[in-house]
Amino acid sequence: MPEAGGQLLPRPEGEVRLMVCRVHPGPSARPGAALRKTLVALDVVCLLAASMPFFLCEVGLVSPVRHGFFCNDSSISYPLLHTETISDSVLISVGILITSLAVTLGESYHVHYFPHSSHSIVRNPYVVALYKEIGAFLFGCTVGQSLTNMAKMSVGRLRPHFLAACRPNFTHLNCSAGYIEDYHCTGSPSAEKEARKSFYSGHASFAMYSMMYLVAFRVSSMFHHKDRPRCLPTTILDSPSSDGHTDC
């Protein structure tokens, strides 16, 4: 008679053999596949959420703190340059490109010569390795730049070309009174807003983050070695009959 998971077959000697058939689930039926897909979607949501403060500040929906100035302050009296030596787009593009290229070469070498099993929903080990490393790098970028812009808006420090961007009407200002708080800028509103975001530097924070991630985290990990298991002595070392040797 058939039983659950097998079949009873009579033997000539009167014995009974139980044959069990195992069904191996395919890749789509692996346990936890739906959970891993959910976690990938959660990664994307976290990346978008972390970049939200950055984009809100960049599009001008959040204004920086408004501070006054001294008329004779030479630190904010520099001329306004309409072109930057290194623009934001060039800095971000080059930083992401160099880091991604270095991570891709390093991870490809590691996966090729040191393969390891993975339970990811993607079977290609190269794609899995790049997703983990480059994804972590991009998430750190969004967090760092969001914190940078939030600090800029909260501090509101004036840039060296603030007076050239603001262009206040000095004929209506009483500079002898010292610190001027009641003033009106006649320059471009966007240039004035940008001139209030001096600290801290977005260029410096992004370049520092990229360097620390690529030198400190990626390069240093190449020199880490796993600790070998310690050998336990077969006899007590301080015993008179011990020869001081250990067996592995």
Side-chain angles (χ1 to χ4, degrees), residues 140-175:
C141 285
T142 57
V143 173
Q145 293 305 299
S146 293
L147 292 177
T148 298
N149 276 13
M150 291 169 63
K152 287 176 178 289
M153 299 300 175
S154 302
V155 175
R157 182 176 177 178
L158 304 180
R159 292 186 183 273
H161 60 266
F162 172 75
L163 292 181
C166 176
R167 291 190 296 176
N169 191 347
F170 287 98
T171 59
H172 295 82
L173 299 179
N174 184 14
C175 293

Side-chain angles (χ1 to χ4, degrees), residues 36-177:
R36 286 190 288 270
K37 292 180 180 180
T38 304
L39 293 177
V40 172
L42 183 61
D43 289 343
V44 177
V45 172
C46 291
L47 182 64
L48 296 177
S51 62
M52 193 64 64
F54 170 76
F55 288 110
L56 290 178
C57 296
E58 286 297 315
V59 299
L61 295 180
V62 181
S63 300
V65 174
R66 179 183 174 90
H67 290 295
F69 60 91
F70 293 93
C71 296
N72 58 351
D73 189 353
S74 60
S75 66
I76 59 174
S77 302
Y78 287 80
L80 175 61
L81 299 179
H82 296 280
T83 57
E84 295 180 307
T85 304
I86 300 178
S87 63
D88 295 340
S89 58
V90 171
L91 176 68
I92 295 176
S93 300
V94 172
I96 293 179
L97 178 63
I98 293 178
T99 305
S100 300
L101 180 61
V103 170
T104 300
L105 294 177
E107 291 300 318
S108 299
Y109 174 86
H110 188 270
V111 171
H112 181 74
Y113 289 99
F114 306 98
H116 60 279
S117 60
S118 175
H119 299 287
S120 174
I121 57 178
V122 180
R123 306 306 298 171
N124 192 322
Y126 295 94
V127 176
V128 174
L130 294 180
Y131 171 80
K132 292 180 179 179
E133 299 300 331
I134 297 182
F137 170 73
L138 293 179
F139 180 76
C141 285
T142 57
V143 173
Q145 293 305 299
S146 293
L147 292 177
T148 298
N149 276 13
M150 291 169 63
K152 287 176 178 289
M153 299 300 175
S154 302
V155 175
R157 182 176 177 178
L158 304 180
R159 292 186 183 273
H161 60 266
F162 172 75
L163 292 181
C166 176
R167 291 190 296 176
N169 191 347
F170 287 98
T171 59
H172 295 82
L173 299 179
N174 184 14
C175 293
S176 60

Side-chain angles (χ1 to χ4, degrees), residues 208-221:
M208 188 66 178
Y209 167 76
S210 301
M211 183 194 71
M212 290 297 295
Y213 183 89
L214 187 63
V215 177
F217 293 100
R218 300 307 310 159
V219 176
S220 62
S221 62

